[in-house]
Amino acid sequence: MPELIPRLRDALLAAGYTVDGVSDLLGTTAHAALGRNETTPGLRRTTGGSPLETLTRLWPLQATVTVEAVDRALPGMLDELCGLGILERSVGEVAARVDLRPYGTDTGDLWVLADLTPGLDGSPNRVGPDHVLGISPAATSLAELTVRADVPAALDLGTGCGVQSLHLAAHVDHVVATDVNRRALWLAGLNAQLNEVTIDLREGSFFEPVDGERFDLVVTNPPFVISPATGERLVYRDSGLPGDRAVEHIVRTLPRHLNPGGTGQVLANWMVLRDVPWEERLAGWTEGSGCDTWIVQREVLDPAQYVELWLKDAGLHGAGDYAERYDTWLSWMEDQGVEGVGFGWINLRRSGGRAQVSGDQARSFGDRAQSRSEEWRWEVEQPLGAEVAAHFDRVDLLRGLTDEALLSARLVLREDVVQETHGAAGAADPSRIVLRQQRGMRRARQVDTVEAALAGACDGDLTVGQVLAALEQILGPEDDDNDRLEGVRELVAEGFLGLG
Ligand SMILES: C[S@@+](CC[C@H](N)C(=O)[O-])C[C@H]1O[C@@H](n2cnc3c(N)ncnc32)[C@H](O)[C@@H]1O
């Protein structure tokens, strides 16, 4: 008999157990209700006993189904699936012990096995210490941020059910995935088989399993929850280290595991401490790493919001000791001087000296790594991976560009940039001009009249020097040419202007 997992895959395909299949079966209302962890509308839509209905009841809806229905949907597999711990049978009924659901990606549907979603229909959402998350918003966010270039080797640190590795397998020859949780590695292994990809799974903490190895891409959605690390640990979110030490350790160690030109991407939480600018604190973690860094703070929660969020995530809201846990966690935050907790992305690229100009136009860049930290809470266009790659390419470009080279460059305004002018109704001149990108980071930048005119004139025909000279004729001489060139560099750095 062929192996179980390939037969399971065939059965899922035959049943049409895909993202669209399930969503069409449930219809808009039941699908949305399931998104709110309510199953009743979905159960009403899946009473016909077809294989697709059986699989949908069994997994997303977590209902029991009859043995006969399972035999129709997963012919000849029930005993093996029970033996493996995926299903469990009680007399004539079958229930799921782990979740299995389709997951839509840019390269087609995948299936993902993970632990069952807790908290359906108001049931307690407490999970065990070795709980393995399925597709979480954080997982999706990292997948969308990941640079999707074809590369030889990638590392997925803290793989969980293997979701990042499944994505990586589409564009990376050799994917290594690590975790401390054996149950996670077991599920990640099944997911690799079910999706017909190869993942090199290794057990161990942080970078221990890849000692001395280097990668072209390292991605991680680590256990980043900031707590005193004294109580019980949910391994999917708690590192066992206090505060943001786990993230700091990862960020400090990751550069040693990057090939030249390699990219590291960390989804993280960090402490925002009283009287310490968060940018400075994080910049300290990457200083001397030989990497360019781009850190984006997407959101900040105050300590109380943060503690509530994670106590609720652990299903402890309303528990007898809720107030005590809340108080202990909050007072620890106060003692540490935590004013807030930042959520965001830490992107690193080992600067490989890939300047796009050569000869006497190229500056020597040596180890002059560039670090950019910014707060950007506005909506961005996902997926953002290409934007991350483009950001670092621009850093390389600017590092190699002398002022003379910049003045002789023929820059082009990115085609999605629009200009907004604000001012009193009827006023001859606008009081504020904003250039706004419609795509990617959707950056907005306030510019002056010269910058706006320069941006408008950058169509690749004239050099920057020619455009600035022409503008000087019309608008008069500049106060400071260096400031103007710095402005142009910023427009390039933020992607408004580029080489054609
Ligand atoms: C937030 S989950 C992320 C899972 C998955 N990569 C994703 O993107 O959804 C964090 C993972 O890190 C693992 N982990 C916890 N401590 C770790 C450590 N010291 N070293 C490696 N992995 C660890 C957990 O078991 C868990 O699977």
Side-chain angles (χ1 to χ4, degrees), residues 133-134 136 139 156-160 163-164 179-181 184 204-206 221-223 233 235-236:
L133 278 185
S136 65
D156 169 17
L157 190 146
T159 190
V163 51
Q164 307 302 333
D179 212 292
V180 283
N181 182 357
S205 185
F206 298 118
N221 167 15
R233 175 180 175 200
V235 71
Y236 72 85

Side-chain angles (χ1 to χ4, degrees), residues 13-31:
L13 273 172
Y17 190 54
T18 59
V19 171
D20 286 350
V22 173
S23 116
D24 290 349
L25 171 68
L26 291 179
T28 315
T29 302
H31 199 259

Side-chain angles (χ1 to χ4, degrees), residues 80-151:
E80 283 173 279
L81 287 169
C82 290
L84 200 58
I86 292 178
L87 299 179
E88 69 185 346
R89 179 180 181 164
S90 154
V91 198
E93 293 202 316
V94 178
R97 286 189 61 198
V98 297
D99 188 33
L100 196 183
R101 65 181 63 202
Y103 166 51
T105 74
D106 284 352
T107 47
D109 273 14
L110 303 171
W111 289 286
V112 175
L113 284 151
D115 272 327
L116 292 170
T117 309
L120 290 191
D121 301 313
S123 62
N125 68 338
R126 307 253 356 218
V127 297
D130 65 349
H131 180 80
V132 180
L133 278 185
I135 308 297
S136 65
T140 315
S141 168
L142 177 61
E144 289 180 322
L145 188 69
T146 301
V147 174
R148 299 282 170 210
D150 292 343
V151 288

Side-chain angles (χ1 to χ4, degrees), residues 217-453:
L217 179 61
V218 177
V219 296
T220 183
N221 167 15
F224 52 57
V225 173
I226 290 167
S227 72
T230 47
E232 70 268 40
R233 175 180 175 200
L234 295 175
V235 71
Y236 72 85
R237 50 171 248 190
D238 303 315
S239 67
L241 297 177
D244 50 20
R245 291 261 190 84
V247 171
E248 178 179 354
H249 171 67
I250 289 171
V251 173
R252 285 188 186 275
T253 315
L254 199 158
R256 294 205 285 279
H257 293 276
L258 287 180
N259 280 323
T263 306
Q265 301 188 272
V266 184
L267 202 71
N269 283 186
W270 49 78
M271 303 195 293
V272 179
L273 301 179
R274 200 178 304 125
D275 302 329
V276 186
W278 68 271
E279 302 93 324
E280 273 178 27
R281 193 162 166 266
L282 268 65
W285 297 352
T286 57
E287 226 169 71
S289 66
C291 284
D292 295 320
T293 58
W294 181 29
I295 303 175
V296 184
Q297 183 161 276
R298 295 283 293 154
E299 194 185 355
V300 180
L301 292 190
D302 68 42
Q305 286 174 310
Y306 191 78
V307 171
E308 287 161 30
L309 171 72
W310 293 111
L311 284 174
K312 284 177 186 164
D313 170 81
L316 292 166
H317 195 210
D321 57 356
Y322 176 70
E324 192 187 328
R325 285 173 186 267
Y326 195 149
D327 187 57
T328 307
W329 198 338
L330 208 54
S331 58
W332 175 83
M333 290 259 209
E334 251 174 52
D335 291 347
Q336 301 296 308
V338 176
E339 276 193 333
V341 177
F343 286 62
W345 317 319
I346 301 175
N347 298 289
L348 307 102
R349 187 191 270 184
R350 181 167 278 289
S351 315
R354 291 190 309 272
Q356 295 177 18
V357 291
S358 57
D360 56 7
Q361 287 189 335
R363 285 178 173 182
S364 75
F365 27 80
D367 60 354
R368 282 191 297 122
Q370 304 284 314
S371 179
R372 182 184 179 105
S373 300
E374 60 187 305
E375 178 114 31
W376 189 252
R377 301 195 189 195
W378 313 108
E379 209 179 305
V380 300
E381 184 196 33
Q382 296 287 8
L384 205 67
E387 185 67 25
V388 175
H391 170 88
F392 286 119
D393 288 347
R394 293 193 295 265
V395 170
D396 268 346
L397 168 71
L398 284 168
R399 185 171 24 225
L401 214 55
T402 59
D403 285 350
E404 297 70 45
L406 182 58
L407 283 167
S408 56
R410 293 169 204 279
L411 297 180
V412 179
L413 182 67
R414 212 168 90 171
E415 59 187 18
D416 62 309
V417 174
V418 294
Q419 178 177 305
E420 296 169 356
T421 51
H422 303 255
D429 294 316
S431 57
R432 200 156 63 93
I433 309 173
V434 173
L435 297 180
R436 189 181 295 280
Q437 300 167 351
Q438 306 292 297
R439 315 206 52 187
M441 284 291 280
R442 299 198 168 116
R443 289 182 189 281
R445 181 177 173 83
Q446 192 169 342
V447 292
D448 63 17
T449 323
V450 176
E451 273 176 342

